[in-house]
Structures are given as structure tokens and as C-alpha cells.
Amino acid sequence: MSAAGRFLRGDPGAGRVVPRGARAAVSVGFLAGVMAFFAVLALALALAAGRLAENWSGELARDATLQIFAPKDQVEAQARAALNVLRTTPGILSVRVVTLDEQKALLEPWLGPGFAVETLPLPLLIAVTTDRAELNEESLALRLGAEAPGAVFDNHAAWRLPLVTTAERLRLFALVCLGLTALALAAVVGLAAQAAVAANGQVIQTLRLIGARDSYISHAFTRRFTLRALGGAVIGTAAGLALLAALPQASEQGFFLVGIGLQGWHWALPVLVPLIAGLVAWAVTRFATRASLRRWS
Amino acid sequence: MIEFEQAGFSYGDHAILRDMSLTLAPGSFQFLVGPSGAGKTTFLRLCYLDLAATTGEVRHFGRSIAPSERDAIADLRRRVGVVHQDCQFLDHLPISENIALPLTVNGIDPREREEDLRALLQWVDLTARVDAAPPLLSGGERQRAAVARAVILSPDVILADEPTGNLDWDMAQRVLTLLVELNRMGKTVLIATHDLNLIRAAKARVQARVLRIAQGRVQLAGADL
Ligand SMILES: Nc1ncnc2c1ncn2[C@@H]1O[C@H](COP(=O)(O)OP(=O)(O)O)[C@@H](O)[C@H]1O
Ligand SMILES: [Mg+2]
């Protein structure tokens, strides 16, 4: 910590031996800002995709439905039998018959308020909450088949699992974007540092002639570039956060949409972006300037 | 302080200096003369290890330093102050900061040495010009600033490459006076020059040895100077 403090405070005058106008340093600040902006968005995307995958594989995964498709006179008997099976199956937490009114309410947005839902051959619907770890679906299916042949148990896996996969891919994609952003920043900063060393050949020559060690010269350049990258990244991160804050926040109820914005303690994560940018810039400039100086002698 | 033992230097096949055996003794004052292109600058660069001898050996303070020993070379340059032919300032810093630069790169805060700095500026008569950028100084002011920078770390040896090259006579005398005063303080001084009048003026004031470079060899010049 004290080493970092010393680094930021700098040696007296160390910051000044590298000419201010060093163009490369200015563009490093700008590019670090742009990268940090993208990094914050990619981070938010990764977190949102993570939440999405979690929702679809967690909360939602507990819900299942059971429908009875049977001739009218058998529906009630089969429903009773099915309920009995469910109630005696380990891993079934609760069962509830969805009333006709509830079904109407569910269908109304799709069919319109005037539609006479009664005319539809609606199956009897039972909402089930399961404990996925305990439930043995195969044995449940066997028992249902024996006692209520018209019962169809649906754990929504058919549409849920592809969505989970998609969300997980999306998160992977966002993480890859984050990694690439860091790599691109490293490459840009490294090239800029090398260019700066090359462009300041006269300054370096003079510093060497008056007895500056290479570590001192490297430190002066590293400091300049790290501070520029840090400054740029802070601004870029702030811009990214401002954009996220301005996005409409999708409500938590949103069935399978999740707001891209950050939630809760996740707002603290972007602080890492400028820190990592600064760290990357420090490591890369240090390496690049030392390599250039070695080649020079 | 600096010893040459059958040392030579060549750029590729082009031998500039050969078979030099001589010593810069502590507290001595010497001139290095020779026509332009004779190798005076090359000789000085061997002295502050900007170049390494291609044959023979050069020892600095009793030690032979390899070109790869970057830190040892940096440390040597703290003990050998150089007044470069083209001064070598950082043009983006005012002259006072340029003079203090050897302190800065050694991790010494120039503000801790304010008294010394003020005295030094007074000695080279640049007090009124402290804030000027190097390109705005006259030739004489630049040379005096270069002398000040060369001595700020109290080196044991001071090398000056044509320090009066493009100065008028009065200004040349002032710079020479500074170097003579340094020698009186016990510093080893070596001045490369082709100005024979300067040598005569110095000889009236110090015990000076004259080294002449001719055909790549360094010899002690006769009494004709
Ligand atoms: N980098 C170099 N490459 C090849 N030859 C050089 C180089 N630098 C100087 N020389 C040659 O070395 C000789 C001595 O140069 P120098 O020491 O500068 O002479 P002086 O200082 O006495 O005028 C000159 O002939 C010059 O052309
Ligand atoms: Mg010369």
C-alpha cells in the first residue's frame, strides 16, 4: 500500500521529466476511457445475464403444472386421483387447482375481454410447486400413468432450458467482451508506451547522461501512463454508470426480461474497472519501457 | 581516477583512437587538443562511458565497467560531471530545473538544497534567468548553466567538450574561470578544445597538462604551447 502511495505521490519532479505534450499519453487516457465505458456495459450485461439464468433455472424451475385431458365424465375422478398421487409424492411442496376464473384472467390478455372463454375446451389445470432436488419425475410419471392416464405433468423444461442456455451463453459472451477489452487496453497502452519512449529518445538520452538509472526513467514513463489510463478509465466508468442509471429499470416481476441496469451491491463492481485499467497500464508500460530501454543501450 | 590501458576505439573498421595508455590523476587539470574530427569527443565519451573501448581497457575509479552494467554506468555519471558540447538540456523545463536535474534523478528533492542551488546560480551568474527555457538562453548562458549542472552533485571529475566553442573571448574567460575554480577545489578537470588562446590563458593560472590527439594517438604536447 505504501509502495502504491509512493508511486502515486511520485518522486519530486519525476512526473516532469517526461514532456507534457506526449501525444501518446493523451490518447492512452482517451482510449482507456472508451474501454472502461465498454467494460462497464459488458459487466452490466454479464451480471444481468447471470440474473436471468438464475431466474429461469431457480425460482421458475420450482413451478410446474398438471393438466387433465380426459372425457368430461372422467375429469373429476382423474383429477382427484392425480391430486392424491401428488400429495403423496416426496418433493411436491404444494398443489392448487387453478379455477376457471383464474384461467380466464390468464387468457384474457391474449384473447380479449369479450371472448367467451367458457366455449373453449379448457383442461383442468393444477399448479404445482416442486422441490427439484427431491422430486423423482420418472416415478411420478409412472404413478400418474397408472392412476390418472389423462394427466400431463409439465415442468416447463421444454421452453425454460433453452432460455437458461441462452442466458448463460450471453453471460459468457459478455465476459469474453470484458476480457478482450482488457487485452485491447493492454495492447494499446503497450504500443503507446513504446512509441513514447521512441519519441522521447532525446529526453531519455539526456537523463541517462546526467546519471539517471533506467529504473528511474521507466518509472517516470510508467507513472505518466498509469495516471493517464487511470484518469481516462474513471471518466469512462462514470459515463458508463450514468448510462446504466438512465436506462429504464425493468421490474423484478418482468417474467423473463431483466433490467440491464445494476442492482444492489453490484453497483460497487464497476469500481474495479478503473483499478484494473490502472493495473494493466502499470504492468504493460513498465514492461514496455524497460524492454525499450534495454534495447537502446 | 580514470585510467586508459592500451585502450582503443573504432567505429567498425574505422579506428578513431588507438593504443592509449594514460591516467587522469586526481586534482589534475588537462586540456585535450586536436583538429576537428580528431576524436576529442570520442575520448570524452570513453571517459563517461557513453562509449566502451573496443580494444584494451579503461578503468573508472579502479574498476572496469562493462556496457551492460547500466546501473554502474549511471552511478559513474554521478561522479563524473560532463559539460556537453551541445549542452543536452530538457527544453520543456526551465533552466533552474535543468540545473537541478541530477539531484532530481537521484531522488533528492531540489527544495532540500535551495541554499546550494541559489549559491550555484549566483556563481554562474544566472540568478536572473532561472525561469527561462533553455532555448531562450544565449550561448554563454547555456554553457554556464551546463557547468552548473555538471557540478551540482559534487563530482570528482569534470569533463568539458569545447565549452567555449562558440563564445566570445570575455565569455570564454568567464567559463574558464569557473573550471579553474573547480580545479582549485580539488576536482580533476579535462577540457577538450581547439582554442590555443584559451590554453595559454589557463596556463597563466593553473598547472595544466596538454594532451594532443594526432593520427589516433594521444600524446603529451611539447612546450610549444
Ligand atoms: N557515430 C559515428 N559513426 C561513425 N563515425 C563517427 C561517429 N561519430 C563520430 N565519428 C567519427 O569519429 C571521428 C572523431 O569524431 P569526434 O570524436 O567527434 O571528433 P572531435 O570531437 O575531435 O571533433 C570523426 O572522424 C567522426 O567522423
Ligand atoms: Mg567534438
Side-chain angles (χ1 to χ4, degrees):
Chain A
M1 198 60 227
S2 77
R6 259 203 314 282
F7 176 81
L8 291 175
R9 209 164 356 97
D11 299 339
R16 293 173 48 79
V17 300
V18 181
R20 278 249 149 243
R23 256 233 198 90
V26 177
S27 48
V28 160
F30 174 72
L31 283 164
V34 173
M35 305 274 187
F37 181 78
F38 288 143
V40 169
L41 296 192
L43 181 67
L45 184 62
L47 291 171
R51 283 200 302 276
L52 217 52
E54 208 166 283
N55 280 0
W56 286 333
S57 60
E59 284 284 308
L60 274 175
R62 300 171 59 216
D63 293 332
T65 52
L66 190 129
Q67 301 174 61
I68 309 286
F69 296 97
K72 254 195 165 43
D73 52 331
Q74 291 176 33
V75 166
E76 212 181 311
Q78 286 208 21
R80 228 179 281 285
L83 282 172
N84 258 337
V85 169
L86 288 174
R87 288 201 175 108
T88 56
T89 302
I92 300 292
L93 302 179
S94 72
V95 291
R96 188 176 61 81
V97 176
V98 179
T99 64
L100 198 63
D101 282 342
E102 280 178 276
Q103 289 202 44
K104 259 194 214 166
L106 280 174
L107 290 172
E108 202 176 84
W110 309 98
L111 302 178
F115 196 86
V117 175
E118 297 80 1
T119 61
L120 284 177
L122 287 177
L124 191 116
L125 190 64
I126 299 172
V128 183
T129 315
T130 65
D131 178 343
R132 203 148 284 284
E134 237 183 284
L135 180 64
N136 182 339
E137 290 197 22
E138 270 175 49
S139 86
L140 175 62
L142 281 175
R143 289 178 62 203
L144 281 175
E147 306 197 17
V152 174
F153 185 78
D154 180 8
N155 63 6
H156 308 319
W159 63 268
R160 193 167 45 75
L161 292 180
L163 287 180
V164 171
T165 311
T166 306
E168 271 165 1
R169 295 251 167 87
L170 196 60
R171 175 163 58 173
L172 185 67
F173 166 76
L175 290 176
V176 167
C177 282
L178 264 182
L180 286 179
T181 309
L183 277 184
L185 180 69
V188 163
V189 173
L191 288 174
Q194 269 173 347
V197 169
N200 288 290
Q202 193 52 51
V203 171
I204 291 170
Q205 174 70 4
T206 300
L207 290 173
R208 279 181 161 172
L209 284 179
I210 59 170
R213 287 180 172 218
D214 283 359
S215 55
Y216 177 89
I217 300 171
S218 153
H219 175 85
F221 278 90
T222 305
R223 193 178 121 81
R224 167 70 55 86
F225 277 75
T226 304
L227 291 182
R228 285 291 163 94
L230 202 62
V234 165
I235 293 171
T237 302
L241 287 177
L243 180 70
L244 288 179
L247 284 179
Q249 298 283 311
S251 72
E252 278 298 338
Q253 320 299 48
F255 193 43
F256 45 140
L257 288 178
V258 179
I260 187 95
L262 297 164
Q263 285 172 8
W265 66 272
H266 283 170
W267 279 103
L269 278 180
V271 172
L272 291 176
V273 169
L275 288 182
I276 289 173
L279 211 62
V280 165
W282 174 79
V284 173
T285 335
R286 193 174 137 94
F287 178 80
T289 54
R290 286 189 176 208
S292 298
L293 287 173
R294 254 197 312 282
R295 235 175 296 122
W296 251 55
S297 44
Chain B
M1 307 242 111
I2 302 179
E3 299 158 275
F4 288 72
E5 211 173 288
Q6 291 176 332
F9 182 84
S10 47
Y11 284 109
D13 292 340
H14 183 30
I16 311 289
L17 298 168
R18 64 195 128 213
D19 203 21
M20 299 180 290
S21 292
L22 61 112
T23 302
L24 301 188
S28 60
F29 193 109
Q30 44 243 307
F31 284 100
L32 182 65
V33 296
S36 188
K40 301 184 293 296
T41 299
T42 305
F43 183 86
L44 292 187
R45 289 172 75 189
L46 289 170
C47 289
Y48 61 87
L49 274 180
D50 198 26
L51 295 174
T54 48
T55 59
E57 192 182 25
V58 181
R59 277 190 302 278
H60 295 84
F61 302 99
R63 173 161 132 60
S64 178
I65 301 172
S68 58
E69 296 178 77
R70 302 296 322 167
D71 286 352
I73 293 174
D75 295 345
L76 169 76
R77 288 178 185 164
R78 298 168 190 186
R79 303 181 66 183
V80 178
V82 184
V83 181
H84 298 274
Q85 198 161 6
D86 48 3
C87 292
Q88 299 269 3
F89 293 125
L90 296 185
D91 289 345
H92 66 280
L93 296 180
I95 200 66
S96 57
E97 282 187 52
N98 266 286
I99 291 173
L101 212 51
L103 293 174
T104 312
V105 304
N106 278 294
I108 303 167
D109 189 341
R111 282 166 296 189
E112 287 169 19
R113 300 288 183 85
E114 234 177 280
E115 285 300 309
D116 296 351
L117 265 170
R118 204 172 301 137
L120 191 57
L121 284 166
Q122 205 147 22
W123 179 59
V124 295
D125 194 17
L126 284 175
T127 309
R129 304 291 275 146
V130 284
D131 294 324
L136 300 179
L137 298 183
S138 74
E141 287 169 331
R142 286 168 67 83
Q143 287 297 343
R144 273 153 32 217
V147 172
R149 189 184 64 182
V151 302
I152 195 164
L153 285 177
S154 279
D156 305 308
V157 180
I158 289 143
L159 309 172
D161 197 355
E162 315 238 14
T164 60
N166 41 21
L167 303 185
D168 60 46
W169 181 244
D170 280 348
M171 193 52 77
Q173 289 277 31
R174 279 175 76 178
V175 172
L176 177 68
T177 302
L178 296 177
L179 293 167
V180 168
E181 283 175 14
L182 286 168
N183 180 246
R184 294 218 173 105
M185 294 175 209
K187 314 284 186 198
T188 307
V189 176
L190 173 62
I191 304 172
T193 184
H194 54 243
D195 185 352
L196 299 187
N197 286 328
L198 188 73
I199 299 176
R200 287 194 197 101
K203 279 198 157 178
R205 297 155 68 180
V206 286
Q207 185 78 26
R209 184 165 76 139
V210 180
L211 305 168
R212 187 202 301 276
I213 302 184
Q215 278 87 50
R217 285 167 203 284
V218 179
Q219 303 144 344
L220 209 56
D224 55 324
L225 284 170

